[in-house]
Amino acid sequence: HRPNCWEHRVVLLGDPGVGKTSLANAFAGIQERDLLEQHGEAAYERTLLVDGEETTLLVLDTWEPERRGEESWRRSQCLQVGNAYVIVYSITDRSSFESASELRIHLRRARQAEDIPIILVGNKSDLVRCREVSIEEGRACAVVFDCKFIETSAALQHNVDELFEGVVRQLRLRREGK
Ligand code: GDP
């Protein structure tokens, strides 16, 4: 058995404040207390053992908000470099959920005809009293997007491993399909 050693670039997309950096930190196993030292770091690598096979993911947290309606070079790079995409919204922020739909459209335009794994993520599932987007709405949106869906809590580390294991499985399905 030879573990595959090539990296998969996973790009996080989503509005500011939805929890992209927190998810990346939870993925990499970085605790809150380490965050200061890690400041400015935007790429996180970890090897996951999924279904008996190792895969190394490189998670990129480089998405930035649009400025004055201008599409930046960095944003278009983000849409080009990913082998898989995680589109994050906060279940406590309906406008971030609406932005997720726009991001899906951007991605489709940027990568026409490519079958790229996309996971829609409703983060901050621990904030039950502030919920603005139901789990059913999230699921329905993923059906329209033709992508996977999961709710996570980066704060409680809930479903974070499941999310990235799901990314690995989606990447493998496409590899095997070729
Ligand atoms: P980013 O701008 O998308 O990278 O978002 P951050 O990761 O910086 O998170 C924005 C804020 O939301 C921070 O104060 C985080 O501590 C908080 N946050 C992120 N994920 C969660 C979560 O799952 N639950 C709760 N309660 N807060 C979260």
Side-chain angles (χ1 to χ4, degrees):
H1 163 78
R2 184 179 160 274
N4 83 53
C5 48
W6 38 287
E7 280 175 343
H8 298 288
R9 286 183 305 273
V10 183
V11 177
L12 300 175
L13 303 178
D15 274 359
V18 295
K20 297 182 297 300
T21 304
S22 305
L23 281 170
N25 281 309
F27 162 75
I30 299 166
Q31 306 292 310
E32 203 84 46
R33 65 188 147 79
D34 299 328
L35 278 181
L36 285 175
E37 288 166 44
Q38 288 289 326
H39 193 73
E41 197 62 55
Y44 306 75
E45 190 182 274
R46 199 179 126 199
T47 300
L48 302 178
L49 183 66
V50 182
D51 305 326
E53 189 187 340
E54 287 188 330
T55 296
T56 300
L57 293 184
L58 184 69
V59 172
L60 300 174
D61 177 28
T62 49
W63 187 245
E64 58 182 27
E66 202 173 14
R67 268 171 296 190
R68 286 177 261 103
E70 272 175 40
E71 276 308 314
S72 70
W73 178 82
R74 197 169 181 156
R75 278 167 71 92
S76 58
Q77 272 303 102
C78 279
L79 296 176
Q80 291 301 332
V81 299
N83 304 114
Y85 285 86
V86 173
I87 302 181
V88 188
Y89 66 90
S90 165
I91 66 147
T92 66
D93 176 6
R94 178 158 293 276
S95 73
S96 73
F97 182 59
E98 284 154 11
S99 295
S101 297
E102 286 167 31
L103 287 169
R104 177 70 185 94
I105 293 163
H106 277 309
L107 201 51
R108 183 172 284 152
R109 258 192 227 131
R111 308 285 291 272
Q112 279 171 21
E114 282 179 76
D115 182 22
I116 311 164
I118 298 174
I119 323 272
L120 180 67
V121 174
N123 187 44
K124 307 200 186 183
S125 63
D126 57 294
L127 297 177
V128 282
R129 292 205 199 114
C130 309
R131 185 186 278 275
E132 289 184 3
V133 183
S134 73
I135 192 161
E136 291 77 17
E137 285 176 283
R139 272 198 204 111
C141 188
V143 171
V144 174
F145 284 9
D146 189 25
C147 72
K148 293 281 170 188
F149 172 71
I150 192 167
E151 280 197 355
T152 59
S153 167
L156 300 182
Q157 294 257 351
H158 179 250
N159 270 352
V160 176
D161 285 344
E162 288 78 357
L163 161 61
F164 290 100
E165 285 166 16
V167 171
V168 168
R169 290 198 180 96
Q170 289 299 307
L171 284 163
R172 282 183 194 164
L173 278 173
R174 279 157 182 83
R175 185 186 67 192
E176 279 150 22
K178 273 170 198 149

